[in-house]
Amino acid sequence: MPVPYSQHVGDRNPIELLNTTLEEYRDAAALLAEASWNQPWAPGKWTMRQVMVHVAQWEMIFGYRIMCAAGSPGFTIQMVDQDALLAHTEGVDGATAFAAFDGSRRLNIAVIQSLSSAARSTEVTHPEYGTLRIDDLIVQM
């Protein structure tokens, strides 16, 4: 079973995409005035701040999953409800969320690049998707 978002990666190198999208996030964040963070990106949608908090949270979650998988073969991934994670983040401003994402992404890229191909083949269990490899988690990231 392909992991979510794998269709967006296709045959491209996922590590290069992690670097490219980091630059794209940096470019987008630089354009946002402070007041823009609290505006929904479309009617009835999350604010840019909420989107950035969400992205930062998931960057940290995937980094944690990859590090646990590499350090604890047989690791079982814990399911997470994205809406519940966002529920208690009103005190996090957009710039702080972006800084957390930026730092987490750089950390994750460094960790991923340090893994051998054998380590990237390490398997984990996901309650919904079954057996995944670290490579699958990188693609999903």
Side-chain angles (χ1 to χ4, degrees), residues 11-136:
D11 60 355
R12 294 177 291 175
N13 180 319
I15 299 169
E16 288 176 14
L17 283 174
L18 291 173
N19 280 300
T20 300
T21 55
L22 174 58
E23 290 303 320
E24 290 170 353
Y25 272 100
R26 286 176 176 161
D27 292 345
L31 297 175
L32 286 173
E34 190 170 329
S36 300
W37 284 105
N38 293 314
Q39 299 298 316
W41 65 273
K45 300 295 185 181
W46 285 351
T47 65
M48 295 308 294
R49 181 196 67 78
Q50 289 170 312
V51 169
M52 198 70 249
V53 169
H54 168 77
V55 170
Q57 288 173 329
W58 281 95
E59 187 69 27
M60 289 183 263
I61 289 166
F62 274 99
Y64 172 79
R65 289 175 174 178
I66 289 168
M67 288 182 229
C68 286
S72 304
F75 178 70
T76 298
I77 291 173
Q78 173 77 30
M79 295 286 288
V80 181
D81 176 348
Q82 70 180 17
D83 295 321
L85 283 180
L86 200 59
H88 304 286
T89 61
E90 299 86 11
V92 180
D93 63 84
T96 299
F98 174 75
F101 164 75
D102 187 83
S104 294
R105 173 62 60 95
R106 287 183 288 117
L107 175 82
N108 290 339
I109 289 169
V111 168
I112 290 165
Q113 288 176 327
S114 75
L115 297 175
S116 67
S117 32
R120 288 175 48 180
S121 295
T122 301
E123 294 182 343
V124 299
T125 302
H126 188 284
E128 187 176 349
Y129 305 119
T131 301
L132 301 174
R133 296 172 299 122
I134 290 176
D135 272 331
D136 296 320

